[in-house]
Amino acid sequence: MNTKQVQNPEMQVPKTPQMNERDFLNDMLTTEKYMTLSYSVFLHEASNQPLYQDMMNIFTETQNCQRDLYNLMFKKGWYKLEAADPQKLQQTYQQFQGYTNQLPYQRNAMQ
């Protein structure tokens, strides 16, 4: 199988026992991912509307911060992705398209 990496040229950082810029950004990104996941669970279970709205605002800020960190790491070449195979994407799309026929409210699911 031929996998293609999607990556910018990697910015080199010193390899020392001390944390470098890449280490700090990776730690921050991991923390933001954990926080957004935790906030998401809270939002699913919140029953108080004002508290829900406050947490939704915090969630959105955290999610935006996570995305900014991801973009910065990708720009510096410290975050790699694998290019998706167009044929596999089409197969997966068709598979899930078939699942929508099983949903009770098909018209709403398609919009």
Side-chain angles (χ1 to χ4, degrees), residues 17-88:
Q18 291 82 22
M19 288 182 71
N20 56 43
E21 182 182 8
R22 179 182 178 177
D23 296 333
F24 281 111
L25 287 174
N26 191 48
D27 184 56
M28 291 166 54
L29 179 60
T30 301
T31 300
E32 295 298 325
K33 286 180 178 181
Y34 173 76
M35 289 172 63
T36 55
L37 180 64
S38 297
Y39 290 144
S40 179
V41 171
F42 176 90
L43 291 169
H44 289 296
E45 299 176 0
S47 61
N48 180 286
Q49 187 59 35
L51 180 58
Y52 171 85
Q53 194 57 53
D54 287 344
M55 290 304 293
M56 178 57 94
N57 293 337
I58 293 169
F59 170 83
T60 302
E61 290 175 20
T62 305
Q63 183 67 35
N64 290 340
C65 184
Q66 175 190 333
R67 185 66 183 176
D68 291 343
L69 287 166
Y70 161 79
N71 285 334
L72 179 60
M73 289 191 71
F74 186 77
K75 179 180 173 183
K76 292 180 177 270
W78 297 336
Y79 206 103
K80 303 172 189 170
L81 305 171
E82 286 188 23
D85 176 15
Q87 188 175 9
K88 271 190 165 179

